[in-house]
Amino acid sequence: MGETAGKLKDIWRTLGPRGQLGVAASALLVIITLFFLFQMAGKASYTTLTSGLQASESAQIAKALDAAGIKYQLKSGGTEINVLSGTESKARLALASKNLPNGGHVGFELFDKKSLGQTDFQQQVQYQRALEGEIARTIEQIQGVTAADVQLVIPNDALFLADQTKATASVLVRGGSNLDASTIAGIAHLVSSAVKGLNSDSVTLTDETGTMLWPRSGSGAGGVSATAKLEAQQRYASQLSSQINAMLISTLGVNKAQVRIHADLNADESTLDKVTYAKTGTPLTTKTDLETLKAAGTATTPVSGTAANLPSYATGSGANGNSNYNHKIESTDFGVDKTVSHTVVAPGSVNKLDVALMVDASVPADQVASLQKSVAAMAGVTPARGDTLAVTTLTFAAPPKAAAPASSGLPIPPAMLGLLKWVGVLLGSAIFLFLLRKNLKRREGEGVAIEPTWLREIERSVPVGALESGGGVNPLEIAVDPAGERRQQMKSEVQEIVRNNPEQIALQISQWMREG
């Protein structure tokens, strides 16, 4: 151990002031780097548990996490909560046991705790609060809705029907400007179906800007507004155009053909009543009437008068004469086959389609004709309905070259962050040791001063004045041998003297210091 310390001291002396300063600065830089790396490695890593919270909801979640002993951080002004990495599952279980997050609403858990002495009014208010909270939670589960607030007006039962008032509801939907007409109608019917005696026309929906989303004009009369009709036409045309453009890209390639469609839809709901009669009648009843009369004849003497003057065939009299009478009547009642149909025609039928097909000039003419037939078939173009299909051939503009996106770095998973910190610590230490070893190797190759003769001949302490007056060898008479072998030999001899006579050298140096 002593020899190692001695060697280090010798190396340190041979570095010189400039080298010593560089080594000290490098060591200080490495120590500072290691300190910051250890600080980062020892710092806890947090993961986002939930975001987009309200202030009241954040307070409830923080209270639940404190009760569960889970470390957390509030971010983004209290709307985001981060928990310690590795405790996400435990935190979710703790929040689920408290029915959190609940959007800041209270539901039917209000009735989990029973209290004595509640009045009917208090129970009614709690029921209304719970119902509003449950409806708001349900609305917030709809895609596109960030938050919802529900206010209900539930009238009391009246004795007479004429005195009964209607239930109403007002709903504030955050993010409602991004919802389509069908989703808004679904929210209105969802609210009306959850409240007794509430009609969908009595539900008022607004977004965060105050724009009324429901009821729409014409929604109660079986029709739709002009805005709803325009949205339906745009959705239909966009969906049909996307399907046709996908077919064109798969067959011709990118930027070879484009389709644009304008659709005119019938947005009116109508009722169709139709009566149809058959061409031939259908027999319903048949009636037959048959009358028969039979009589046996005898010899009679006609009396004088008209009958005696008539022939016997006219009177039917005569010897052994018979009388037979038959009368048959048949009647049939026929009915007409009639069909009565009542059909409600839903809105959305196509009145007219206008299709524009643009083809690049590089596409051959025979392919253009084939594409025209295919597009007409896919779009459902019907000339009898007044549909049009316009085909145009032109040269498409070359698409602009997209700039290469700047590299933003790969996201580092939280699980690997601690490992990367330790890797950085080890890498920094290795770089420091490498630079230190390289510097020492370079110093070893530098020249070393020749050992003075007076240093080898020291047997006792000699004053500096004696050396300067010639009592010994002048220490300034130092020659440097340029040969490499000589330098190595002198270095070895100096080290040998230092190891063999350390006390004498220390004594001589102390003597010089006292005299100086």
Side-chain angles (χ1 to χ4, degrees):
M1 186 68 181
E3 294 182 359
T4 304
K7 289 181 179 180
L8 291 177
K9 290 180 181 179
D10 294 338
I11 295 174
W12 177 259
R13 295 191 192 98
T14 58
L15 291 177
R18 186 174 181 180
Q20 293 174 357
L21 182 61
V23 172
S26 301
L28 182 61
L29 180 61
V30 169
I31 291 173
I32 295 175
T33 305
L34 292 177
F35 173 76
F36 282 106
L37 289 176
F38 274 108
Q39 284 287 102
M40 294 178 60
K43 189 177 180 180
S45 178
Y46 286 84
T47 305
T48 302
L49 180 65
T50 180
S51 59
L53 303 174
Q54 299 181 5
S56 58
E57 192 176 11
S58 299
Q60 296 176 4
I61 294 177
K63 184 177 179 180
L65 294 176
D66 285 332
I70 300 174
K71 295 183 179 180
Y72 64 90
Q73 288 181 345
L74 294 176
K75 298 290 185 179
S76 303
T79 61
E80 179 182 336
I81 293 183
N82 300 339
V83 296
L84 193 64
S85 298
T87 62
E88 296 89 348
S89 301
K90 183 179 178 181
R92 291 191 179 96
L93 290 176
L95 296 182
S97 63
K98 301 293 184 180
N99 196 21
L100 295 173
N102 53 18
H105 310 290
V106 293
F108 285 112
E109 64 270 9
L110 283 174
F111 297 96
D112 293 341
K113 297 180 181 180
K114 297 181 180 180
S115 60
L116 299 176
Q118 275 192 342
T119 63
D120 293 340
F121 176 75
Q122 290 175 338
Q123 291 182 353
Q124 182 65 25
V125 170
Q126 284 193 356
Y127 171 75
Q128 183 170 337
R129 287 183 60 198
L131 186 59
E132 291 172 351
E134 293 293 338
I135 295 175
R137 292 177 186 176
T138 305
I139 295 175
E140 289 174 352
Q141 296 178 13
I142 299 176
Q143 185 177 3
V145 177
T146 57
D149 292 324
V150 179
Q151 301 292 331
L152 299 177
V153 177
I154 303 177
N156 297 325
D157 295 334
L159 180 60
F160 299 101
L161 185 61
D163 298 334
Q164 182 71 35
T165 58
K166 294 182 179 180
T168 58
S170 61
V171 182
L172 174 63
V173 180
R174 294 180 179 86
S177 57
N178 299 324
L179 302 177
D180 54 13
S182 60
T183 305
I184 294 173
I187 294 175
H189 286 82
L190 184 148
V191 175
S192 64
S193 301
V195 182
K196 179 181 178 181
L198 179 61
N199 195 307
S200 60
D201 295 335
S202 301
V203 179
T204 302
L205 267 72
T206 58
D207 60 5
E208 62 273 16
T209 62
T211 304
M212 180 176 291
L213 306 177
W214 183 272
R216 294 177 180 269
S217 60
S219 59
V224 295
S225 62
T227 304
K229 179 180 179 180
L230 180 60
E231 292 178 356
Q233 292 179 162
Q234 290 177 349
R235 287 196 305 269
Y236 178 81
S238 176
Q239 182 179 6
L240 192 58
S241 300
S242 300
Q243 295 176 355
I244 298 177
N245 286 326
M247 181 270 294
L248 295 175
I249 292 176
S250 61
T251 54
L252 298 179
V254 182
N255 202 31
K256 291 296 183 180
Q258 284 286 333
V259 166
R260 292 292 183 268
I261 296 178
H262 174 266
D264 181 13
L265 302 182
N266 183 9
D268 298 328
E269 182 178 337
S270 60
T271 303
L272 178 62
D273 295 329
K274 185 178 182 181
V275 180
T276 305
Y277 294 94
K279 294 182 179 180
T280 58
T282 302
L284 301 179
T285 59
T286 301
K287 182 179 179 182
T288 303
D289 185 8
L290 179 61
E291 183 180 1
T292 303
L293 179 62
K294 293 183 180 182
T298 57
T300 59
T301 302
V303 294
S304 59
T306 304
N309 297 327
L310 293 175
S312 56
Y313 63 85
T315 60
S317 61
N320 298 325
N322 296 324
S323 177
N324 295 325
Y325 176 76
N326 294 324
H327 180 74
K328 183 178 181 181
I329 299 175
E330 293 183 354
S331 63
T332 303
D333 294 335
F334 289 89
V336 179
D337 187 11
K338 180 177 69 173
T339 302
V340 180
S341 60
H342 179 81
T343 306
V344 177
V345 181
S349 60
V350 179
N351 292 333
K352 184 181 178 183
L353 282 180
D354 296 318
V355 183
L357 173 60
M358 295 171 289
V359 186
D360 187 54
S362 61
V363 180
D366 54 347
Q367 291 188 9
V368 174
S370 302
L371 287 176
Q372 181 177 358
K373 296 179 181 179
S374 300
V375 170
M378 290 188 66
V381 175
T382 305
R385 193 173 53 191
D387 299 348
T388 60
L389 174 59
V391 182
T392 305
T393 302
L394 67 164
T395 302
F396 283 12
K401 295 183 179 180
S407 177
S408 58
L410 296 176
I412 301 175
M416 297 186 61
L417 187 58
L419 179 61
L420 292 179
K421 292 176 182 178
W422 286 108
V423 170
V425 170
L426 296 177
L427 184 60
S429 302
I431 293 175
F432 168 71
L433 294 177
F434 173 76
L435 294 177
L436 181 60
R437 183 176 180 275
K438 185 178 180 181
N439 192 11
L440 294 177
K441 285 289 186 182
R442 181 175 60 83
R443 290 294 181 177
E444 289 180 358
E446 293 181 356
V448 180
I450 301 176
E451 178 188 6
T453 305
W454 59 267
L455 186 59
R456 294 198 308 269
E457 296 179 350
I458 291 178
E459 298 292 342
R460 53 185 176 82
S461 60
V462 181
V464 177
L467 292 175
E468 292 179 352
S469 62
V473 181
N474 190 353
L476 298 178
E477 296 177 358
I478 301 174
V480 178
D481 190 355
E485 295 181 357
R486 181 59 179 167
R487 287 198 299 268
Q488 285 298 119
Q489 181 180 359
M490 296 299 296
K491 181 179 178 181
S492 300
E493 292 177 356
V494 170
Q495 293 177 354
E496 185 67 23
I497 292 174
V498 172
R499 284 195 297 269
N500 295 334
N501 302 312
E503 298 176 355
Q504 295 181 3
I505 294 177
L507 181 63
Q508 181 66 44
I509 294 176
S510 61
Q511 179 68 25
W512 289 345
M513 294 178 65
R514 283 194 301 269
E515 293 179 358

